[in-house]
């Protein structure tokens, strides 16, 4: 890390003195700072990508629960394939779609540890559907953070199982035709029906309030894991500005106007008595 | 001194797994090796606390192996040919991430759904990599129920020594037949795990991560070179084979696994008829015992390679002798086992009468 | 009357200029810079002194580049506006 402070760099770049109130910028006054468990490197995600926000809140929860040394993560294949470069916890990189199986292997031999997978829609709900459904059905005591942006980001914009009807992608160039290309998969609702599943909740990270809620939900899920309640999934409906061919702002608007009405936010299943 | 028991190959393998202090088994039923999961489900957990889980598929099973092996545990899975094909994806990742694990392929006849009878048609898949990318498994080929037991222990040791997946390449006949076996004493399960294992970040140390992804070509080439150097090291140190009557041999019968036993019987019958025949049996089929063939080739009039496939190991035998002697092949397929008489008859046809098919 | 004073520090080298913090900020205190950082992105800068440390910008910031401070001052202070030159 550079020894220069942010203030120095900004002053150099803007070529003018920056007015920071030193009376306020004191450690005791910090209300938000990057979580320590998020490794201090630039993330490869596109500007405005919800993956980064999801990484951030997941690591905030790990920080706040103080479980950095007790948690093992499983990274997927997709845009978040490099999640282990950003999360400062022990991690394994799974084959495409197999994260829940890998997590099962880890959790079964170390039931005392926290285990999470971080998966996108293609990984979790297309190629990895079997692994996801069966891990859920066995009630594997793991947390699945499911990022749903309705598109394949890493391979540059192909149709995902969760692509909205009529939505244009590189493999549904005339819009997803449900008659020939199938319907969007409500994987969270599907999993919520299984008795092994303890908690399923859907959130977004496009506004400050939604970020807060999503974070709370992840914290809850890890708490349930500690109590051994079973399979927990937090779905995060988010954006893909680059492959939706939108600015980050427009993409968040699309999340608000199109994605959320189709994938309504909130708890889908909560443990009994919670 | 261990226990002497009469056991079925698959059950002996399972018993050896428990006794070797195996931490976890993830598998899926498939004939002719379903006894493994059944035996472990009955015995393992109560005796050593070993994790035994029936996965939803071989694809899931091998990835559970990846997860548990990544946490530094002693793990094993077993399957038979179609299931092993499904595991190839996971094996490629395991080999690339250099995770030790043990698997057994109780081979049945293919291709496709094939048959449930014994075969050796997965030789290429086992010794030449099997999945995508340049990698090798260490492959042990038992020819008796006793070796099913011994190779479990050896397999775990080799896997952990080289951080490499190890395969026991056996077949439906050895898996199903009963023989007497001497079982080794129960070993304790590991309580300490390697530095690289993902068991939770250690205070004051960097996190561990297990991956097979190195997007920069320079880095990926470096990983490949390291893997190849490791395979060279394995070829240098771990070759195992058995020879019988090579000293005065003019001909050699060669085969691996079950067929090697039949070759020895055929050799005895040939000797009784006055033919000076020896036997070479590779025990490790990767690393392949190239040198033993090369050394004996100049004194030979020919080698008869016998396999339960269309001729797979014969390619490695030919590469080993490099033209120094003739190498002919006789094989049965689709679950058929060659008899000693058949081998002798074909030996005489090819090498004594000089007939070709 | 107590005044809540906030301050943000933006790690402009890590900022990708996605502008998501602009809308999140209730005080319109953040705008895009005219200059670019070493990665070639225009970055977020603070443009007025109205920040009350609500941390909304930091919450939505995907790259966690914003650190937020808040101080409750018992003495009333006048609002100070920094003028940014073009």
């Amino acid at each position: 890390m550079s020894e220069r402070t942010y203030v120095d760099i900004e002053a150099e770049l803007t070529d003018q003195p920056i007015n920071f109130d030193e009376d306020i910028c004191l450690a005791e006054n910090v209300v938000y700072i990057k979580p320590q468990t998020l490794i201090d490197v630039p993330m490869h995600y596109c500007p405005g990508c919800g993956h980064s926000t999801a990484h951030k809140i997941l690591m905030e929860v790990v920080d706040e629960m103080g479980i950095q040394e007790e948690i093992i993560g499983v990274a997927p294949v997709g845009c978040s394939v490099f999640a282990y470069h950003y999360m400062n916890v022990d991690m394994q990189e799974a084959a495409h779609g197999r994260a829940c199986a890998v997590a099962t292997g880890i959790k079964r031999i170390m039931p005392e540890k926290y285990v999470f997978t971080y998966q996108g829609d293609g990984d979790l709900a297309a190629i990895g559907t079997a692994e996801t459904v069966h891990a859920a059905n066995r009630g594997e005591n793991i947390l699945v953070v499911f990022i749903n942006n309705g598109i394949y980001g890493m391979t540059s914009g192909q149709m995902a199982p969760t692509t909205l009807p009529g939505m244009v992608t590189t493999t549904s160039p005339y819009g997803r035709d449900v008659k020939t290309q199938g319907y969007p998969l409500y994987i969270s609702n599907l999993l919520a029906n299984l008795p092994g599943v303890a908690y399923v909740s859907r959130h977004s990270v496009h506004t400050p309030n939604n970020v807060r809620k999503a974070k709370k939900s992840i914290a809850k899920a890890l708490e349930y894991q500690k109590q051994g309640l079973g399979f927990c999934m937090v779905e995060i409906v988010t954006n893909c500005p680059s492959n939706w061919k939108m600015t980050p702002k427009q993409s968040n608007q699309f999340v608000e106007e199109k994605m959320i009405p189709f994938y309504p936010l909130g708890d889908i299943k909560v443990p009994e008595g919670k | 001194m261990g226990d002497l028991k009469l056991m079925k190959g698959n059950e002996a393998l399972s018993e050896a797994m428990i006794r070797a202090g195996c931490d976890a088994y993830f598998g899926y039923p498939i004939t002719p090796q379903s006894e493994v999961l059944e035996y472990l489900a009955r015995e393992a957990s109560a005796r050593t606390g070993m994790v035994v889980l029936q996965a939803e598929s071989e694809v899931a099973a091998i990835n559970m192996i990846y997860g548990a092996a990544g946490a530094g545990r002693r793990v094993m899975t077993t399957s038979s040919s179609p299931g092993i094909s499904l595991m190839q994806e996971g094996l490629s990742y395991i080999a690339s991430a250099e995770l030790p694990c043990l698997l057994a392929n109780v081979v049945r006849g293919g291709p496709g759904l094939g048959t449930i009878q014994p075969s050796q048609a997965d030789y290429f898949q086992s010794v030449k990599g099997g999945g995508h990318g340049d990698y090798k498994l260490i492959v042990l080929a038992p020819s008796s129920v006793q070796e099913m037991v011994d190779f479990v222990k050896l397999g775990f040791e080799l896997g952990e020594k080289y951080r490499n997946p190890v395969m026991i390449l056996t077949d439906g006949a050895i898996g199903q037949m009963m023989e007497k076996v001497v079982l080794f004493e129960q070993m304790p399960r590991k309580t300490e795990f390697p530095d690289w294992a993902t068991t939770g970040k250690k205070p004051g140390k960097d996190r561990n991560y297990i991956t097979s992804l190195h997007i920069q070509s320079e880095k990926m080439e470096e990983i490949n070179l390291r893997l190849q150097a490791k395979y060279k090291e394995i070829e240098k140190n771990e070759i195992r084979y058995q020879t019988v009557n090579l000293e005065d041999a003019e001909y050699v019968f060669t085969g691996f696994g079950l067929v090697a036993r039949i070759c020895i019987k055929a050799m005895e019958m040939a000797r009784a008829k006055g033919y000076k025949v020896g036997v070479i049996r590779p025990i490790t089929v990767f690393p392949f015992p190239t040198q033993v063939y090369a050394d004996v080739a100049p004194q030979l009039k020919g080698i008869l390679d016998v396999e339960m496939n269309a001729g797979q190991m014969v390619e490695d035998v030919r590469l080993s002798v490099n033209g120094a002697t003739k190498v002919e092949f006789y094989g049965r397929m689709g679950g058929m086992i060659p008899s000693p008489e058949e081998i002798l008859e074909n030996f005489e046809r090819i090498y004594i009468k000089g007939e070709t098919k | 009357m107590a005044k809540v004073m906030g301050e943000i520090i933006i790690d402009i080298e890590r900022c990708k200029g996605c502008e998501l913090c602009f809308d999140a900020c209730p005080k319109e205190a953040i705008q895009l810079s005219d200059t670019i950082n070493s990665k070639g992105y225009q970055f977020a800068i603070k443009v007025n002194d109205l920040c009350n440390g609500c941390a909304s910008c930091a919450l939505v910031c995907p790259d966690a580049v914003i650190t937020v401070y808040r101080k409750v001052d018992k003495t009333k202070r006048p609002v100070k506006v920094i003028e940014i030159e073009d």
Side-chain angles (χ1 to χ4, degrees):
Chain A
M1 255 211 78
S2 162
E3 285 178 9
R4 294 182 307 164
T5 64
Y6 307 150
V7 180
D8 295 335
I9 299 167
E10 182 156 353
E12 275 170 37
L13 283 168
T14 51
D15 200 25
Q16 63 188 3
I18 304 297
N19 193 353
F20 285 102
D21 197 328
E22 290 181 1
D23 286 347
I24 305 177
C25 296
L26 298 170
E28 73 243 32
N29 292 337
V30 169
V31 286
Y32 185 89
I33 192 160
K34 184 176 186 164
Q36 296 212 327
T37 315
L38 197 65
I39 295 171
D40 195 19
V41 291
M43 291 194 256
H44 72 279
Y45 300 110
C46 305
C49 177
H51 266 305
S52 327
T53 320
H55 282 23
K56 185 182 78 169
I57 56 174
L58 180 57
M59 289 302 106
E60 284 172 16
V61 172
V62 170
D63 264 6
E64 285 163 22
M65 291 176 74
I67 55 172
Q68 187 188 16
E69 288 157 16
E70 295 158 56
I71 192 162
I72 294 107
V74 182
V77 172
C79 279
S80 46
V81 69
F82 287 125
Y84 55 85
H85 282 325
Y86 310 131
M87 301 181 185
N88 196 7
V89 297
D90 274 8
M91 286 194 79
Q92 294 194 17
E93 165 57 39
H96 199 16
R98 319 294 176 224
C100 281
V102 172
T104 299
I106 300 171
K107 184 72 181 182
R108 287 285 176 135
I109 50 146
M110 297 188 293
E112 73 285 2
K113 306 276 180 184
Y114 294 90
V115 177
F116 72 91
T117 74
Y118 183 101
Q119 301 175 261
D121 40 35
D123 191 86
L124 179 135
I127 194 167
T129 313
E131 285 75 15
T132 309
V133 170
H134 283 277
N137 195 43
R138 285 191 303 266
E140 293 298 340
N141 202 16
I142 58 173
L143 162 66
V144 174
V145 179
F146 167 39
I147 305 298
N148 176 6
N149 58 10
I151 205 156
Y152 282 70
M154 183 61 117
T155 46
S156 66
Q158 293 80 14
M159 187 180 71
T162 51
T163 296
L164 302 181
M167 194 168 160
V168 172
T169 70
T170 57
T171 51
S172 58
Y174 308 108
R176 182 178 193 162
D177 177 1
V178 293
K179 286 213 174 73
T180 57
Q181 295 170 311
Y183 293 87
L185 186 60
Y186 285 103
I187 186 83
S188 298
N189 304 64
L190 195 144
L191 294 180
N193 290 323
L194 304 174
V197 176
Y199 177 65
V200 183
S201 192
R202 192 185 285 124
H203 295 272
S204 79
V205 288
H206 72 300
T207 67
N209 209 20
N210 282 297
V211 174
R212 278 192 199 98
K213 284 184 192 163
K215 184 178 159 186
K216 253 185 213 159
S217 177
I218 291 172
K220 252 192 229 172
L222 285 172
E223 195 51 47
Y224 296 154
Q225 184 176 147
K226 191 178 178 184
Q227 295 166 21
L229 299 186
F231 188 90
C232 295
M233 179 152 110
V234 177
E235 173 177 348
I236 296 176
V237 176
T238 183
N239 59 352
C240 181
S242 296
N243 290 303
W244 289 359
K245 318 278 184 236
M246 292 177 189
T247 65
K249 275 186 183 180
Q250 287 167 340
S251 72
N252 271 356
Q253 211 169 343
F254 188 86
V255 168
E256 179 82 42
E257 290 167 7
K258 305 281 184 198
M259 295 287 280
I260 292 176
F262 202 86
Y263 297 108
L265 306 185
D267 288 342
I268 299 169
K269 185 176 191 179
V270 290
E272 257 175 67
K274 301 280 174 185
Chain B
M1 182 64 201
D3 307 336
L4 183 66
K5 288 214 167 128
L6 181 67
M7 288 187 104
K8 208 175 185 180
N10 286 335
E11 294 188 339
L13 179 97
S14 318
E15 178 61 31
M17 211 187 298
I18 301 171
R19 291 188 181 222
C22 182
D23 293 302
Y25 173 92
F26 303 98
Y28 186 79
I30 182 172
T31 311
Q33 62 80 56
S34 300
E35 296 86 356
V36 178
L37 182 52
E38 290 170 351
Y39 188 93
L40 292 171
R42 238 178 12 241
E43 297 275 330
S45 174
R47 280 168 52 187
T48 63
M50 172 181 166
V51 173
V52 179
L53 183 63
Q54 177 170 340
E56 66 270 26
S57 68
E58 288 88 350
V59 177
I62 195 70
N63 284 287
M64 292 172 187
I65 290 286
Y66 181 101
R73 292 334 200 251
R74 221 166 221 209
V75 290
M76 182 162 180
T77 185
T78 60
S79 190
S80 180
S81 310
I84 295 285
S85 291
L86 284 175
M87 289 185 182
Q88 293 304 328
E89 175 201 48
L91 276 175
S92 173
Y93 284 71
I94 287 172
S96 182
E98 297 191 80
L99 301 177
C101 71
L102 183 58
L103 62 154
N105 183 359
V106 185
V107 182
R108 60 189 245 185
L113 208 45
T115 166
I116 56 170
Q117 303 302 328
S119 166
Q120 296 183 323
D122 296 356
Y123 177 90
F124 280 151
Q125 188 194 50
S126 311
V127 306
K128 307 291 181 190
H132 61 283
D134 277 320
Y135 74 91
K136 301 278 192 192
L137 311 175
I138 298 173
V139 187
L140 304 166
S143 69
S144 64
V145 175
Q146 182 64 55
E147 283 181 339
M148 292 282 265
V149 170
D150 299 341
F151 290 178
V152 168
K153 198 172 161 190
L154 176 65
F156 279 130
E157 285 163 8
L158 291 176
E160 282 157 21
K161 181 173 172 190
Y162 294 100
R163 283 189 65 180
N164 206 65
V166 178
M167 176 183 275
I168 296 176
L169 181 65
T170 180
D171 62 62
I174 297 173
Q176 294 297 328
M177 73 188 183
M178 286 185 97
E179 284 188 315
K180 66 174 186 200
V181 284
V182 179
L183 296 164
F184 53 85
E185 298 284 342
Q186 177 69 50
M187 294 159 65
R189 283 178 56 193
K190 285 197 290 185
T191 49
E192 279 177 22
F193 309 105
D195 291 343
W196 49 261
T198 55
T199 53
K201 187 182 171 300
K202 313 268 184 316
K205 285 192 177 167
D206 280 348
R207 76 199 185 287
N208 286 331
Y209 61 85
I210 291 186
T211 184
S212 59
L213 176 68
H214 308 279
I215 210 103
Q216 245 113 27
S217 299
E218 291 81 359
K219 177 71 181 162
M220 197 63 231
E221 187 178 44
E222 193 187 309
I223 300 281
N224 267 286
L225 289 169
R226 197 176 77 211
L227 289 176
Q228 293 304 320
K230 181 170 84 174
Y231 303 144
K232 281 271 174 299
E233 190 68 17
I234 292 169
E235 284 180 320
K236 207 172 85 192
N237 302 334
E238 305 301 343
I239 287 175
R240 287 167 171 78
Y241 59 86
Q242 178 192 356
T243 61
V244 189
N245 290 339
L246 276 197
E247 298 72 27
D248 64 341
E250 292 176 351
Y251 299 98
V252 158
F253 292 167
T254 189
F256 68 95
L258 181 71
V259 171
R261 285 172 74 156
I262 307 170
C263 282
I264 290 171
K265 180 69 186 163
M267 179 265 302
E268 285 164 4
M269 290 161 64
R271 287 250 166 195
K273 288 182 94 171
Y275 306 126
K276 289 184 175 170
V277 177
V279 168
I280 299 175
R281 173 205 161 204
I283 293 173
T284 50
V285 279
F286 181 85
F288 193 73
T290 302
Q291 200 55 43
V292 65
Y293 290 98
D295 289 347
V296 77
Q299 78 184 54
L300 299 180
K301 292 180 183 165
I303 295 177
L304 181 65
D305 174 282
V306 187
E307 297 174 59
M308 294 194 292
N309 57 40
Q312 300 191 11
M313 189 180 86
V314 65
E315 294 190 2
D316 287 331
V317 176
R318 285 193 179 124
L319 284 170
S320 301
V321 303
N322 198 17
T325 190
K326 214 165 125 180
V327 180
E328 294 291 341
F329 171 75
Y330 178 70
R332 295 296 300 266
M333 290 169 281
M336 298 302 290
I337 302 175
S339 68
E341 293 77 12
E342 237 179 297
I343 295 173
L344 183 59
E345 189 187 314
N346 279 281
F347 161 71
E348 287 182 312
R349 174 179 63 78
I350 295 164
Y351 283 112
I352 309 302
K353 297 177 191 153
E355 286 171 21
T356 50
K357 264 185 193 164
Chain C
M1 185 182 131
K3 179 183 155 51
V4 178
M5 293 180 300
E7 185 65 279
I8 55 172
I9 292 184
I10 302 168
D11 182 355
I12 57 173
E13 268 299 279
R14 292 281 167 78
C15 177
K16 293 172 182 164
C18 72
E19 309 183 13
L20 295 184
C21 52
F22 302 1
D23 283 354
C25 178
K27 304 287 182 190
E28 296 179 359
I30 311 174
Q31 280 301 319
L32 208 56
S33 68
D34 293 333
T35 45
I36 56 171
N37 63 20
S38 66
K39 292 262 194 276
Y41 291 116
Q42 283 178 278
F43 46 86
I45 48 170
K46 198 184 67 159
V47 291
N48 64 37
D49 211 12
L50 300 173
C51 177
N52 61 4
C54 74
S56 291
C57 56
L59 282 170
V60 295
C61 174
D63 293 278
V65 304
I66 307 174
T67 307
V68 185
Y69 300 86
R70 181 162 51 189
K71 188 180 178 185
V72 181
D73 197 345
K74 296 281 157 46
T75 60
K76 194 177 171 186
R77 280 167 54 124
V79 171
K80 185 171 69 181
V81 180
I82 302 168
E83 291 195 354
I84 300 293
E85 292 168 12
D86 283 331

